[in-house]
Amino acid sequence: MLKKSTAVFMIVAALLCGSLLTLGVTGYVQVVGQAAGEGVAAVLQTNSGLEDKESQKLGTALSLIEDNYYDTVDRNKLIDGAVNGMMEALGDPYSNYMGKETAEKFEESIEGSFSGIGAEVSSDNGKVVVVSPIKGAPAEKAGIQAKDVILSVNGETLEGLELNDAVAKIRGPKGSKATLKVQRTGSAEPLEFVITRDDVKLETVYATMEKDGVGVIEVTQFSMNTAERFKEELNNLEKQGMKGLVIDVRNDPGGVLQRVIEMAEQFVPAGKTIVQVENKDKSREVSTSKGSSKAYPVVVLMNKGSASASEILAGALQQSAGAKLIGEHSFGKGTVQTSFEKELGDGSLLKITIAKWLTPDGTWVHGKGIEPDIAVSQPDYFSVAPINKSATLQYNMNSSDIKSAQTMLDGLGYKPGRKDGYFDAATKDAVKKFQSASKLQATGIIDTKTAEALELALIKVIQDPANDNQRNRGIEEVRKEIQKAASNK
């Protein structure tokens, strides 16, 4: 299937079609859509541009710089800088300017795969923040998480850089390495990730049938063909006799608004609200369902990486279709953007926040997210920090890296007996057992090879659905609802 890419570390953004964007991530994460059909015209505002005094001021500043600056200046850079400065002055991480070269890279990513790290990022008060890693991409495999703050790349700080410039440092060709310093909530010291860039292919819909007729559909982003793919997979599951459905939008950064509406209509009864869009004049456009409800139970899995369009779907299904939300609170991206490229005339692009979206009951989730009906956390090893490979860890030492190693060992079933960072005799014994099982020299010392082996082994455990608490709870809840319905017949 054709895959659409979203903005990512490397940085490729996505789905830039020049219509209404309801994004879930920033800087580069764009999601295209149309608010409730023909609502674009009702939201966009125009004016006459610069007044004479304003035009004179900018023109004078440009002339003074060109005439008096001690070095040669690039006029195009000055103009781009002026436009970018206006966007930054808005203080909105979801509104930004892309020069011609950046805009071209942005649009090149629309069709198919791209090469990079694979994670949606945004700019928040000058910080580069991860919205979510892309499923199966190098960033996810390395352990990058939503809300991580990227401090530096290959030793170069990102502090004070525009998002486009920061992303340019993170992106790179397949096979090249990016060493990221990351600040994570709960970690006193920055974490280091060495990530090998690779091709990132984006299939957006994955479906499986579990026991007892429970279907699971995972949606990794809402691209142009996602609604069609979702409908295909849903029909396939229903033909197999599906009795209940789990929709998984964890780490889904958002996407095309119209596609979300089409998907929600398959569960929301006709006439009920799916989403509301409110413009700067406080007038609201309400998108109501033209579809129908399902006879079987539905639950939605979400976490802190579920943003924008994911939150629209979760809110619509919870408030208008009676679905349960399971997992963690969502990201909290409640604004709508549109992109302008033809208007600038030189290949550059402006992305501007033009409205906010609200759940069916009128709640604005921006900055707050949506709380689940049933809160479920993942095992602690799902979020463990990587081990610093430059240090050797051994008996009688105490560090955060040892704490990470103990958490990994425990998750792998080697039971060090503690996870506080102190390397005691039981930890040494657990390391030896792991080394023996991994065909490494059983020294009881965590060197580079042992640290790498621990992390690779843990990735396999994390990727095993049997260890996914949230997914398992979602399936369990659907089974309960199926049994309840059967007993009431």
Side-chain angles (χ1 to χ4, degrees):
M1 297 298 296
L2 180 66
K3 301 172 179 64
K4 305 281 185 178
S5 57
T6 61
V8 300
F9 275 167
M10 33 63 299
I11 204 167
V12 170
L15 306 181
L16 183 61
C17 296
S19 58
L20 201 59
L21 302 171
T22 97
L23 295 359
V25 255
T26 91
Y28 270 92
V29 180
Q30 264 89 212
V31 211
V32 198
Q34 293 179 323
E38 303 299 323
V40 177
V43 181
L44 297 180
Q45 301 289 330
T46 60
N47 57 43
S48 58
L50 293 173
E51 295 180 358
D52 289 342
K53 287 184 179 180
E54 294 168 336
S55 180
Q56 182 180 3
K57 180 177 181 179
L58 291 177
T60 300
L62 178 61
S63 296
L64 289 171
I65 293 170
E66 288 184 316
D67 293 343
N68 297 286
Y69 188 66
Y70 81 100
D71 200 358
T72 303
V73 297
D74 184 328
R75 186 182 180 93
N76 289 330
K77 275 192 172 182
L78 293 178
I79 299 299
D80 283 353
V83 178
N84 193 66
M86 284 191 281
M87 301 307 293
E88 289 189 343
L90 294 173
D92 175 15
Y94 301 100
S95 296
N96 61 18
Y97 170 71
M98 300 179 210
K100 180 179 180 180
E101 183 178 347
T102 304
E104 287 175 351
K105 288 185 174 67
F106 183 91
E107 296 192 68
E108 284 172 0
S109 70
I110 293 175
E111 304 296 330
S113 63
F114 55 84
S115 178
I117 289 175
E120 283 75 1
V121 297
S122 68
S123 177
D124 185 3
N125 293 322
K127 298 179 180 179
V128 177
V129 182
V130 177
V131 174
S132 72
I134 293 172
K135 179 180 173 64
E140 183 193 52
K141 293 177 180 178
I144 294 292
Q145 298 178 19
K147 304 290 187 180
D148 281 348
V149 177
I150 311 301
L151 303 176
S152 66
V153 181
N154 293 334
E156 296 186 62
T157 181
L158 302 186
E159 184 178 357
L161 295 182
E162 298 171 9
L163 183 62
N164 293 349
D165 294 333
V167 163
K169 293 184 180 297
I170 301 171
R171 68 185 299 270
K174 177 181 179 179
S176 62
K177 292 187 182 296
T179 300
L180 272 59
K181 282 287 181 67
V182 168
Q183 186 64 60
R184 177 175 295 169
T185 301
S187 297
E189 299 295 327
L191 309 176
E192 183 175 292
F193 296 82
V194 180
I195 305 176
T196 301
R197 301 178 179 98
D198 200 354
D199 290 335
V200 178
K201 297 181 180 180
L202 295 178
E203 171 58 87
T204 62
V205 180
Y206 303 82
T208 59
M209 179 69 88
E210 301 297 321
K211 292 187 299 183
D212 302 322
V214 179
V216 179
I217 300 182
E218 180 181 4
V219 182
T220 60
Q221 91 182 44
F222 296 85
S223 63
M224 294 300 292
N225 68 334
T226 299
E228 179 184 349
R229 287 283 298 114
F230 184 88
K231 186 175 182 178
E232 290 174 0
E233 296 296 348
L234 182 63
N235 288 339
N236 287 338
L237 291 173
E238 290 177 340
K239 288 177 182 178
Q240 296 175 50
M242 183 177 68
K243 299 176 182 177
L245 177 64
V246 175
I247 301 175
D248 186 352
V249 292
R250 292 174 297 171
N251 292 325
D252 182 332
V256 185
L257 177 57
Q258 187 58 36
R259 301 296 88 83
V260 183
I261 293 172
E262 291 170 11
M263 290 167 64
E265 282 185 321
Q266 298 179 66
F267 305 94
V268 176
K272 285 202 170 185
T273 300
I274 293 175
V275 66
Q276 303 181 55
V277 175
E278 181 178 293
N279 68 12
K280 66 189 301 180
D281 295 326
K282 306 303 180 184
S283 61
R284 294 186 185 181
E285 184 171 0
V286 180
S287 175
T288 57
S289 177
K290 298 178 180 64
S292 60
S293 60
K294 296 291 186 180
Y296 49 75
V298 177
V299 304
V300 179
L301 303 184
M302 63 183 195
N303 63 8
K304 60 185 177 182
S306 302
S308 190
S310 297
E311 295 171 293
I312 292 174
L313 183 67
L317 267 58
Q318 180 196 46
Q319 296 179 14
S320 295
K324 287 184 180 178
L325 307 185
I326 296 176
E328 305 164 346
H329 72 273
S330 60
F331 184 85
K333 165 66 175 66
T335 54
V336 176
Q337 286 72 37
T338 192
S339 62
F340 300 89
E341 49 183 327
K342 293 181 180 179
E343 291 83 353
L344 299 180
D346 63 353
S348 59
L349 178 150
L350 280 180
K351 178 167 64 68
I352 302 174
T353 297
I354 60 167
K356 60 185 182 181
W357 66 263
L358 308 137
T359 60
D361 69 1
T363 299
W364 192 34
V365 306
H366 199 67
K368 300 176 292 184
I370 301 174
E371 291 297 326
D373 296 303
I374 302 174
V376 180
S377 299
Q378 297 288 48
D380 57 359
Y381 58 81
F382 269 60
S383 58
V384 65
I387 300 170
N388 182 358
K389 312 300 187 302
S390 65
T392 298
L393 311 176
Q394 54 190 315
Y395 178 72
N396 208 32
M397 293 177 66
N398 197 331
S399 72
S400 59
D401 285 313
I402 294 171
K403 181 178 180 180
S404 292
Q406 289 169 333
T407 301
M408 293 179 190
L409 287 164
D410 186 70
L412 293 169
Y414 290 96
K415 307 303 179 186
R418 65 195 306 159
K419 290 182 280 186
D420 59 359
Y422 176 64
F423 204 128
D424 63 356
T427 300
K428 183 175 181 179
D429 184 57
V431 172
K432 284 184 175 181
K433 289 179 180 177
F434 171 77
Q435 289 171 327
S436 295
S438 303
K439 295 182 171 50
L440 298 171
Q441 186 177 357
T443 61
I445 296 173
I446 302 176
D447 56 8
T448 299
K449 286 186 177 180
T450 301
E452 290 176 346
L454 275 171
E455 292 176 359
L456 287 173
L458 190 68
I459 288 173
K460 293 180 180 179
V461 171
I462 291 173
Q463 292 177 338
D464 185 346
N467 301 314
D468 189 335
N469 287 349
Q470 293 166 346
R471 186 177 188 273
N472 293 338
R473 182 60 183 274
I475 293 173
E476 178 188 340
E477 287 300 315
V478 171
R479 284 177 178 153
K480 286 181 182 178
E481 291 296 324
I482 293 172
Q483 292 170 1
K484 181 180 178 181
S487 65
N488 289 335
K489 288 182 178 180

